Amino acid sequence: MKRQPTIEIPPMPHIGKLFRDYVEENRIYQSVLAKILGKTQSVLLRYRFRKSLQCYLLWELSVGLKHNFFMDLAAQLPDTYSTSAPDVTIPYKERIAALEKELETVTRERDLLKEVIVQKG
């Protein structure tokens, strides 16, 4: 008898659809892609309909298309999952914090100017 997993495992994304959607959205010709990857068009067509692909094939597609399919997959996992990858959002978070501080300062200055205008008016 098959054991039930103790955690709920979300359905795996359809890798072929991920690849197919990217190629269609970016209007990449199958013939051009086949030439870049050194594969036949029929092989690439099969990839588009496969539910899963081996990592090395996904790696080849990522490199050939200069698109990170692994990141697309990772984005579908919950934010609470751990990773060993460096946090690439740190510079953005720092920039956001600086802009929020600047906005706070500008808002205070605006409010002060409003008060001065009201008092003189």
Side-chain angles (χ1 to χ4, degrees):
M1 183 169 165
K2 188 176 178 182
R3 289 184 57 195
Q4 293 296 322
T6 56
I7 60 168
E8 185 176 329
I9 299 173
M12 186 180 87
H14 193 290
I15 307 299
K17 183 175 180 344
L18 190 71
F19 168 57
R20 180 173 64 237
D21 290 348
Y22 179 82
V23 168
E24 289 172 3
E25 287 172 15
N26 292 281
R27 298 181 178 160
I28 299 168
Y29 290 103
Q30 205 70 18
S31 57
V32 173
L33 184 56
K35 191 172 188 175
I36 289 170
L37 296 173
K39 302 203 180 283
T40 65
Q41 290 184 42
S42 62
V43 166
L44 293 178
L45 185 64
R46 284 193 300 250
Y47 289 172
R48 295 168 65 128
F49 295 98
R50 288 175 58 180
K51 184 172 173 71
S52 66
L53 289 173
Q54 292 179 348
C55 281
Y56 83 91
L57 294 175
L58 197 57
W59 183 268
E60 285 181 350
L61 293 174
S62 293
V63 171
L65 290 168
K66 296 184 172 121
H67 179 77
N68 191 341
F69 288 106
F70 291 99
M71 186 71 82
D72 291 346
L73 288 172
Q76 295 184 40
L77 292 171
D79 293 340
T80 57
Y81 285 19
S82 65
T83 178
S84 298
D87 187 354
V88 295
T89 63
I90 288 175
Y92 299 111
K93 290 176 183 174
E94 291 170 354
R95 178 75 175 135
I96 289 169
L99 288 171
E100 286 173 342
K101 188 174 181 179
E102 184 179 341
L103 176 62
E104 192 176 305
T105 302
V106 170
T107 302
R108 274 197 311 267
E109 290 173 354
R110 182 204 62 204
D111 293 344
L112 181 61
L113 285 171
K114 281 182 180 180
E115 284 180 35
V116 170
I117 290 171
V118 168
Q119 288 176 357
K120 286 189 176 185

